[in-house]
Amino acid sequence: MSDLHNRKVYHPNEEFAKNAAIKSMDEYRALQDEATNDYEGFWGRFAKEKLDWVEPFTNVLDESDFPFVKWFDGGKLNVSSQCIDRHLDARGDKTAILFEGDRGDVQKITYKELSKNVNKFANLLKEDFEVKKGDRVVIYMPMIPEAAYAMLACARIGAIHSIVFGGFSAEALKDRIQDAEAKVVITADGAYRKTKPYMLKPVVDTALEGETPVKKVLVVERNNEEINWVDGRDYSYHELIKNKSDVCAPEVMDSEDPLFLLYTSGSTGKPKGVQHNSAGYILWAQMTMEWVFDVKEDDVYWCTADVGWITGHTYIVYGPLAMGATTVMFEGVITYPDAGRPWKMVQDHKVNQFYTAPTAIRVLHKMGEHEPANYDVSSLKVLGTVGEPIDPPAWKWYYEEVGNSKCAIVDTYWQTETGGHVVSPLPGATPIKPACATLPLPGIMAEIIDEEGNTPELGEKGLMCITRPWPAMIRGVWGDKERFIKSYFGDVKKDGKPVYFTGDGAVYDKDGYITITGRTDDVINVSGHRMGTAEVEAAILKDDNVAEVAVVGKPHPLKGEGIFAYIALKSEVSDEEAEKKSINNIIKQEIGNIALCDHIIFVPGLPKTRSGKIMRRILRSIAKGEEITQDISTLEDPSIVEKIVAMAK
Ligand code: WTA
């Protein structure tokens, strides 16, 4: 980070800034001051202005049971109404969801049509599946409009959805179904990838083998491939939806009634069911759409994430629809048939805001450096990035080749737990620097501090924390209050009080800009997907011949990080390659392809302290090919390090 303080500054496009939601740094500071001086007044004002309340709230923030907080207590609303009903008069014929299928098939679903589809879906869940307020519904779906209908239908009847990314294995799906005690699964027969059909329903069948809380499965037919139907359990969406009424009164929800769970990896144990509630979440989803993406009435906005991740929740479905935007949903692969696909889509649909992950930017850069120039991408105004720290070369390419040096890049830093962006440039206000998330958004008290709450010396790494509760923050870990407190409020204190720690390291530059340096815990970020080392290790340990394992992240030119596993076997094998394959096969079964190891080495033992703690720092250094500078004299067997270094070469 030697050039941290001397990065080039790019100022907002003046023409753009004139009409931006936040037009200048003065406006930004005024909002920030408003929040600092009267935190509850600030949030109360926006909650009143932005949300359609059935009954107004009586209290803005209740921290009496911190870290379990309540926002907008007494208020009643429905998130699906916020996303649909309130737009019907003003923009009923506007496209809400612009779907492009893998094979180029396009569907434009207006707000009126969305309303009908969601209401029918809600009636189906209520009438045929007896889903009630508070019930959990697992959604295991491809990127098709029905996934959004399913989410909003749950929100409409007060059911809590829990989406499991379609790349997760049957075992991972089963764990999540059981932890959430879901009574319904919504899935599809499958979908298309690179024009070929792939399947999801068989994975659900396997996940439901044995004892399961699931009573019914709804199957959306997307590719019409042959699937297995279990009598009395599996139902066709297309059959059931036919005779449903398109009117379903929205369930009146309390501000703090749960909206969804989303399982995410932590540094220890199994994935956690991150719980988000209704009012605070939808408020911030909507506000950040306005502030960070600056979406205008006639704009077309495209986020390339999958609905299986938080980015898909907040910035494909809830945020864009809450503000009445046109949101693009894409089933395919952005590099298929070639690396011009996204730019062709930008041209075809006149996309104004484009939001993707650094890993995608690196791949598009590598595969098609000059592809953007082959298309008319002049409609673009704001480019976004999320999911991992972006590297300056990728940033520069994005800015120059995709954005034609005229679009703002919003490097949005946030997490599943924060619900929406927390540190990000504002495209009409913030001067940006390459690969820098810049400043906390107004109302978010994000600070880099050390464990005692002090600001680190300039240029020194510290811990990325949020020192006051914010409306879209995680409300709990499903079924585990202790884990919620321990995971997020255990490590850092400010003024003697625990504060929310993100798990990321960060550093200030001389202008007070925040640059995220990556996770400080045992979480690996593979292509922008969070993987807990503990989860991958638990999977590998299912191999009977594995005695011990430690996995770490290794920098990867495209994926950001790849997984590197050090494995001690119980007995030697004659064919190491076959053993590696079989280990990766287990990972595929237990978690899914996203957690496959790039590197596996078989070692005689792991470097451990005398108390038995694995020294991961050393293993991380070895994986990176760095010189070992750590003191290894405290290890139980220091000679092991030398042996591993030799083997890793
Ligand atoms: C990382 C994704 C640097 C970070 C929204 C965080 C980032 C984790 C950025 C959350 C960014 C996300 N710059 N790092 N702009 N955005 N991260 O829960 O390590 O899937 O903790 O949420 O991604 O991943 P999650």
Side-chain angles (χ1 to χ4, degrees):
M1 285 281 160
S2 54
D3 56 356
L4 182 73
H5 305 295
N6 301 310
R7 288 175 290 186
K8 184 166 168 187
V9 177
Y10 299 76
H11 289 274
N13 179 323
E14 278 172 26
E15 273 311 298
F16 176 87
K18 276 186 201 157
N19 290 313
I22 299 177
K23 299 178 177 57
S24 65
M25 284 306 277
D26 285 346
E27 281 193 21
Y28 164 73
R29 276 187 218 101
L31 282 164
Q32 223 191 10
D33 289 347
E34 183 186 338
T36 308
N37 297 334
D38 178 10
Y39 196 61
E40 293 193 21
F42 173 91
W43 284 114
R45 166 164 93 85
F46 283 108
K48 265 190 219 140
E49 270 175 31
K50 302 285 177 191
L51 298 183
D52 263 25
W53 294 96
V54 177
E55 271 177 44
F57 53 90
T58 47
N59 190 21
V60 175
L61 170 62
D62 176 355
E63 292 183 82
S64 56
D65 193 21
F66 183 88
F68 300 92
V69 298
K70 287 189 194 147
W71 280 95
F72 314 122
D73 215 11
K76 293 191 189 298
L77 79 174
N78 181 285
V79 167
S80 82
S81 303
Q82 181 72 16
C83 293
I84 304 171
D85 305 33
R86 73 191 195 101
H87 304 307
L88 292 177
D89 286 340
R91 47 181 80 89
D93 295 317
K94 173 175 171 174
T95 301
I97 298 177
L98 195 167
F99 171 72
E100 178 161 326
D102 175 73
R103 294 155 306 156
D105 42 319
V106 171
Q107 267 185 65
K108 292 183 181 176
I109 300 127
T110 65
Y111 273 94
K112 273 188 196 151
E113 289 162 343
L114 178 67
S115 169
K116 285 190 178 155
N117 291 329
V118 169
N119 278 277
K120 284 186 188 179
F121 208 134
N123 280 325
L124 185 164
L125 292 177
K126 253 165 74 167
E127 292 164 17
D128 298 335
F129 281 19
E130 287 156 11
V131 178
K132 292 188 224 33
K133 180 177 170 182
D135 285 345
R136 273 80 60 210
V137 172
V138 161
I139 300 177
Y140 187 67
M141 293 272 271
M143 285 290 292
I144 54 176
E146 288 81 1
Y149 306 162
M151 294 164 77
L152 292 160
C154 287
R156 192 147 192 98
I157 62 175
I160 305 169
H161 62 70
S162 171
I163 306 190
V164 179
F165 171 60
F168 278 119
S169 69
E171 207 49 45
L173 176 60
K174 185 185 202 122
D175 279 351
R176 286 156 174 80
I177 287 171
Q178 286 182 337
D179 191 80
E181 292 173 90
K183 77 182 216 192
V184 164
V185 174
I186 304 172
T187 187
D189 44 8
Y192 297 95
R193 186 181 294 128
K194 300 188 180 178
T195 70
K196 305 257 178 340
Y198 72 92
M199 304 304 290
L200 286 170
K201 171 67 166 49
V203 185
V204 175
D205 291 337
T206 311
L208 298 185
E209 279 169 11
E211 252 184 65
T212 176
V214 172
K215 303 276 182 297
K216 292 200 164 132
V217 176
L218 186 66
V219 184
V220 177
E221 284 131 311
R222 166 72 180 148
N223 62 16
N224 296 304
E225 294 290 307
E226 196 153 319
I227 52 168
N228 175 39
W229 292 91
V230 174
D231 245 8
R233 188 195 74 182
D234 302 347
Y235 296 85
S236 156
Y237 165 79
H238 296 280
E239 283 303 313
L240 294 187
I241 206 78
K242 271 186 203 154
N243 55 7
K244 291 291 169 297
S245 155
D246 59 16
V247 181
C248 174
E251 187 78 31
V252 176
M253 305 290 282
D254 289 337
S255 290
E256 288 292 350
D257 276 333
L259 179 63
F260 66 82
L261 307 179
L262 183 56
Y263 283 79
T264 193
S265 297
S267 47
T268 54
K270 286 191 170 190
K272 306 174 272 219
V274 171
Q275 182 185 330
H276 281 291
N277 291 358
S278 302
Y281 170 81
I282 199 67
L283 174 66
W284 192 230
Q286 183 179 324
M287 285 174 69
T288 47
M289 278 305 296
E290 293 186 32
W291 284 356
V292 177
F293 295 119
D294 211 78
V295 173
K296 299 286 190 254
E297 188 62 45
D298 296 325
D299 283 355
V300 175
Y301 158 92
W302 179 19
C303 164
T304 70
D306 188 286
V307 288
W309 307 109
I310 191 68
T311 307
H313 283 64
T314 310
Y315 296 113
I316 294 179
V317 179
Y318 286 116
L321 297 176
M323 81 166 290
T326 297
T327 180
V328 175
M329 200 171 179
F330 177 47
E331 179 190 33
V333 174
I334 51 167
T335 49
Y336 188 85
D338 55 47
R341 178 78 182 259
W343 321 128
K344 180 170 185 315
M345 280 181 62
V346 167
Q347 170 180 285
D348 290 352
H349 305 306
K350 301 198 171 43
V351 172
N352 304 103
Q353 293 85 9
F354 179 73
Y355 190 30
T356 196
T359 185
I361 299 168
R362 287 191 292 263
V363 171
L364 291 167
H365 178 191
K366 183 162 177 247
M367 289 179 61
E369 184 166 5
H370 303 299
E371 281 288 350
N374 294 335
Y375 299 90
D376 178 4
V377 295
S378 60
S379 54
L380 289 171
K381 297 190 282 191
V382 178
L383 300 173
T385 154
V386 59
E388 53 178 312
I390 183 167
D391 39 301
W395 192 96
K396 203 160 168 270
W397 178 77
Y398 202 29
Y399 187 80
E400 290 172 359
E401 291 278 338
V402 182
N404 234 325
S405 302
K406 69 169 178 59
C407 299
I409 293 194
V410 288
D411 180 350
T412 62
Y413 167 75
W414 61 296
Q415 315 177 289
T416 304
E417 293 86 343
T418 67
H421 305 146
V422 287
V423 179
S424 171
L426 296 164
T430 318
I432 51 177
K433 304 181 186 185
C436 177
T438 72
L439 298 164
L441 289 171
I444 304 290
M445 303 301 167
E447 274 185 66
I448 306 173
I449 48 183
D450 65 15
E451 279 169 8
E452 282 80 47
N454 304 309
T455 309
E457 297 285 319
L458 192 62
E460 290 287 310
K461 261 192 220 173
L463 309 171
M464 190 69 243
C465 293
I466 306 177
T467 55
R468 292 214 65 180
W470 64 104
M473 76 186 271
I474 173 176
R475 291 302 197 276
V477 169
W478 187 252
D480 200 340
K481 285 188 162 188
E482 271 313 301
R483 196 165 173 207
F484 171 63
I485 300 170
K486 255 185 91 179
S487 306
Y488 304 105
F489 299 90
D491 297 331
V492 188
K493 287 198 166 79
K494 192 181 169 184
D495 303 326
K497 270 180 52 189
V499 296
Y500 177 85
F501 172 42
T502 60
D504 286 299
V507 56
Y508 283 123
D509 73 4
K510 65 177 184 353
D511 299 322
Y513 273 33
I514 293 170
T515 298
I516 304 294
T517 54
R519 304 286 307 193
T520 63
D521 54 8
D522 289 325
V523 171
I524 309 179
N525 198 327
V526 185
S527 300
H529 303 324
R530 269 166 77 167
M531 293 304 327
T533 49
E535 260 173 282
V536 183
E537 288 166 3
I540 294 175
L541 280 169
K542 297 236 158 142
D543 184 317
D544 286 340
N545 195 26
V546 171
E548 290 187 303
V549 51
V551 311
V552 298
K554 175 182 164 73
H556 183 283
L558 295 177
K559 296 200 271 189
E561 278 187 297
I563 302 178
F564 193 126
Y566 298 87
I567 296 175
L569 293 176
K570 288 181 187 156
S571 56
E572 266 183 42
V573 288
S574 54
D575 185 347
E576 287 205 347
E577 285 315 304
E579 179 68 11
K580 286 181 189 174
K581 254 198 204 132
S582 116
I583 286 169
N584 260 335
N585 251 332
I586 295 180
I587 296 177
K588 192 169 154 180
Q589 274 169 27
E590 294 290 315
I591 306 174
N593 282 334
I594 50 172
L596 294 183
C597 295
D598 286 330
H599 304 271
I600 295 176
I601 61 168
F602 297 117
V603 294
L606 296 170
K608 283 190 214 145
T609 59
R610 288 194 190 98
S611 58
K613 192 172 172 290
I614 297 171
M615 295 285 284
R616 284 167 194 285
R617 254 182 324 125
I618 294 180
L619 294 174
R620 275 195 284 266
S621 298
I622 298 175
K624 284 186 193 157
E626 289 171 355
E627 195 86 12
I628 307 295
T629 51
Q630 294 97 335
D631 175 17
I632 57 170
S633 62
T634 57
L635 293 185
E636 192 186 40
D637 175 9
S639 72
I640 203 95
V641 173
E642 221 170 280
K643 289 184 198 147
I644 299 178
V645 170
M647 299 176 84
K649 281 206 171 125

